[in-house]
């Protein structure tokens, strides 16, 4: 476990970068608090991935910050399994905001928020 929510539930856990069979597991940081999962799921269902990706296309600073966030996520993965840094960033992606829960969990685990340089 990496972080707890206000009522003491595990908020974020860190998974091993490979599953029991040795296959890549793209989600290193997992959002686990039921309230946080509901809140982030609402954002996704309200179309925030598309909105964020549009914002990234228009804002070079945000695009660079998100790229750095993916690189940091990948580097974290590589610290726990050498070579795993080549598997991509948050949610296994190398760009964009593919997985809001993965990005949220990474930020809550202590990574920089790309929207707030």
């Amino acid at each position: 476990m990496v972080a707890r929510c206000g009522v003491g539930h595990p908020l974020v856990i860190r998974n091993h970068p490979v599953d029991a069979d040795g296959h890549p597991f793209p989600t290193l940081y997992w959002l686990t608090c039921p309230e946080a999962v509901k809140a982030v799921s609402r954002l996704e269902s309200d179309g925030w991935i598309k909105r964020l990706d549009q914002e990234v296309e228009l804002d070079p600073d945000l695009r660079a910050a998100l790229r750095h966030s993916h690189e940091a996520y990948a580097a974290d993965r590589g610290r726990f399994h050498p070579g795993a840094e080549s598997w991509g960033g948050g949610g296994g992606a190398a760009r964009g905001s593919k997985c809001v829960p993965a990005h949220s969990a990474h930020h809550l685990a202590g990574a920089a928020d790309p929207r707030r340089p």
Side-chain angles (χ1 to χ4, degrees):
M1 183 192 52
V2 178
R4 288 194 180 275
C5 70
V7 296
H9 292 123
L11 176 61
V12 175
I13 61 168
R14 184 179 54 231
N15 292 307
H16 192 65
V18 295
D19 66 18
D21 295 324
H23 299 109
F25 193 76
T27 307
L28 183 64
Y29 295 102
W30 199 273
L31 196 59
T32 57
C33 174
E35 293 304 312
V37 170
K38 279 188 226 175
V40 171
S41 294
R42 275 192 304 271
L43 291 174
E44 279 192 320
S45 67
D46 287 345
W48 274 96
I49 291 176
K50 184 177 179 180
R51 288 181 201 160
L52 290 170
D53 283 343
Q54 289 171 341
E55 198 174 323
V56 164
E57 289 302 315
L58 298 173
D59 183 341
D61 293 332
L62 179 57
R63 188 169 43 251
L66 186 57
R67 184 179 63 249
H68 291 301
S69 178
H70 280 297
E71 291 167 354
Y73 199 106
D76 283 354
R77 186 181 292 116
R79 278 193 275 287
F80 298 103
H81 189 81
E85 61 277 0
S86 67
W87 301 342
R95 62 183 176 81
S97 50
K98 172 186 174 186
C99 183
V100 175
H103 288 288
S104 299
H106 186 219
H107 169 63
L108 292 167
D113 180 352
R115 292 183 54 96
R116 296 184 189 0

